[in-house]
Amino acid sequence: MMVFLAVAGHYGGSLTHGENYLTQYLPDGIKRLAGMPIEEKGPRLIENLDEAVVYTDIIHPIMETRCNSCHNASKKKGDLQMHTREALLKGGENGPIFLAGNAAESEMIKRIHLDPNHDDHMPPKGKSQLTDEQVLLLEWWINEGAPFEKKVAELKAEQEVQSVLLTLADPNANKSAVEILLAEGTTAPDQEKLKTYVERGISVKALSNDSNWLQVTLYKKDSVDQVLEKLAADFPEQITWLDAKDTPLTDAGLEAVGKMKNLTRLRVEKTGISNAGLAHLANLEYLESLNIYGTEVSDAGLDYLSGLPNLKRLYAWETGISREGAAAFVASGAKVDINLGYEVNVVDSLTVEVKPVAVNN
């Protein structure tokens, strides 16, 4: 009875999960001891994108990771196999799964776009789902006629598709310098030094549970300029978010901030800083967001920010920065959105418009 149960259970598992369901998730060390082949994990980068065969190098690997566990040589869910070109062309119990030249009317694409809780959604609930980028590539291939031999350079590709294709050769292709920095990480901060700040009631904590990046929040009670000088000495690489709004911060304190070389977000609104303080920020190459609302900064202070390559957002309402000065700054080549607050317009006796005043790149 036990033998029959074991055989029946194994057969049922093979039908449900595929014939290698017992071994596919074994650690590599155990596979080596057992003399089993070790599959290469993770995406395989394409060395020459233009020469890559679209089906072989791009589409088939997507199907291998997202579809073939249920549609392979030993398991034909819905009488459908997807592990070979012939199987794909044959289709399943409901006929062909794609209509060459028309992704929107292709059964495969329709099922991918069903609600995840729908019985016909593919891949089924509980299985690894396709990413938006993978769906885009499948739709592109089908719309281009679902060719099996053509190379990337032989097919037309809109900008969105081109951007996704580039990531197949370089995972960082569409990432900003800041995204790459944060993804690559930094060295671990000294835990003993962190502990001293916690004991002093200063908020210094990890940006996330699995990250060495730090976020710092300072308050009115803190001796801000002195604390910043110490923080810049202890964690010059790890601090990436700093919030010192509504504190006794001065231009002297910003000198220490300028030494936090991987800073990406800085809030110093409603503090005593001026144009002179911004001069200390000129080398923060990863700074993306800066809030100087309610400070003494004027149009002249923008000159110190002109060399920041990644600055995307500047919040500057209730400062000395004029709309004309902001427009000139953007016109000079700065790729930044400058938010100057809100203006109130009386449209008629019953209507008042409140609109954001922003100068965009």
Side-chain angles (χ1 to χ4, degrees):
M1 181 63 71
M2 293 299 294
V3 171
F4 281 122
L5 284 174
V7 171
H10 177 66
Y11 181 69
S14 298
L15 287 176
T16 305
H17 305 291
E19 62 182 5
N20 65 335
Y21 79 101
L22 286 177
T23 60
Q24 63 180 328
Y25 298 115
L26 281 176
D28 288 348
I30 295 178
K31 287 184 178 181
R32 287 193 187 94
L33 288 174
M36 299 167 58
I38 298 174
E39 297 178 2
E40 184 178 346
K41 296 178 180 178
R44 300 174 185 175
L45 296 183
I46 297 174
E47 293 184 5
N48 189 334
L49 190 58
D50 284 342
E51 290 298 309
V53 177
V54 176
Y55 173 73
T56 303
D57 297 321
I58 298 173
I59 301 304
H60 183 64
I62 293 175
M63 293 181 178
E64 275 190 318
T65 58
R66 295 292 185 265
C67 309
N68 289 3
S69 64
C70 292
H71 305 283
N72 53 59
S74 60
K75 182 183 178 185
K76 298 192 293 182
K77 189 173 182 181
D79 200 29
L80 171 65
Q81 295 173 306
M82 300 177 69
H83 63 299
T84 66
R85 175 190 326 198
E86 293 73 24
L88 274 176
L89 291 171
K90 179 182 178 183
E93 62 186 11
N94 295 316
I97 64 170
F98 63 84
L99 179 60
N102 194 338
E105 292 301 319
S106 295
E107 185 67 19
M108 177 172 67
I109 301 301
K110 287 181 178 180
R111 294 199 177 207
I112 288 172
H113 286 298
L114 287 174
D115 184 280
N117 293 314
H118 195 287
D119 288 342
D120 292 332
H121 172 76
M122 292 295 156
K125 190 174 182 180
K127 296 283 187 178
S128 296
Q129 299 297 302
L130 291 152
T131 67
D132 292 341
E133 291 77 14
Q134 290 172 330
V135 175
L136 181 67
L137 291 175
L138 288 174
E139 292 175 339
W140 167 63
W141 175 66
I142 294 173
N143 282 330
E144 287 298 306
F148 286 91
E149 304 296 345
K150 287 188 176 182
K151 300 175 182 179
V152 171
E154 298 178 88
L155 302 185
K156 294 179 181 179
E158 300 294 335
Q159 183 60 50
E160 187 178 9
V161 174
Q162 290 180 17
S163 296
V164 175
L165 288 172
L166 286 175
T167 65
L168 303 180
D170 177 7
N172 292 327
N174 298 321
K175 293 180 180 178
S176 68
V178 175
E179 289 173 321
I180 295 172
L181 170 78
L182 295 178
E184 290 180 346
T186 185
T187 56
D190 187 308
Q191 294 300 314
E192 288 300 316
K193 290 180 179 178
L194 275 177
K195 184 178 178 181
T196 63
Y197 288 96
V198 174
E199 291 172 346
R200 291 171 57 190
I202 296 172
S203 178
V204 183
K205 55 186 179 181
L207 199 61
S208 65
N209 292 333
D210 56 352
S211 169
N212 291 323
W213 297 112
L214 299 177
Q215 55 179 328
V216 176
T217 304
L218 301 177
Y219 302 95
K220 287 183 177 180
K221 65 177 179 62
D222 300 319
S223 301
V224 176
D225 288 359
Q226 291 78 14
V227 171
L228 287 172
E229 185 175 1
K230 184 81 165 58
L231 284 167
D234 288 340
F235 312 113
E237 298 180 359
Q238 291 86 2
I239 296 175
T240 191
W241 291 4
L242 174 61
D243 184 347
K245 67 178 182 292
D246 200 18
T247 67
L249 174 69
T250 69
D251 289 337
L254 284 184
E255 182 176 2
V257 173
K259 298 175 183 177
M260 301 173 183
K261 64 179 186 178
N262 292 327
L263 201 64
T264 62
R265 299 187 188 183
L266 176 61
R267 298 189 63 173
V268 290
E269 65 261 40
K270 300 176 70 175
T271 63
I273 67 165
S274 66
N275 294 335
L278 294 190
H280 298 303
L281 308 182
N283 293 320
L284 294 179
E285 63 174 311
Y286 297 111
L287 189 64
E288 276 193 317
S289 177
L290 174 60
N291 192 326
I292 54 174
Y293 149 62
T295 64
E296 296 300 316
V297 174
S298 67
D299 289 345
L302 293 175
D303 291 339
Y304 298 116
L305 306 179
S306 61
L308 298 179
N310 289 295
L311 187 63
K312 299 293 186 293
R313 297 173 296 279
L314 177 63
Y315 303 94
W317 57 94
E318 293 187 25
T319 66
I321 295 176
S322 65
R323 197 179 308 184
E324 294 74 20
F329 180 61
V330 171
S332 70
K335 297 183 180 299
V336 57
D337 292 338
I338 304 179
N339 193 318
L340 298 177
Y342 296 85
E343 65 180 8
V344 178
N345 295 323
V346 178
V347 179
D348 53 45
S349 60
L350 297 176
T351 306
V352 176
E353 273 189 335
V354 181
K355 301 189 299 180
V357 179
V359 179
N360 303 314
N361 60 317

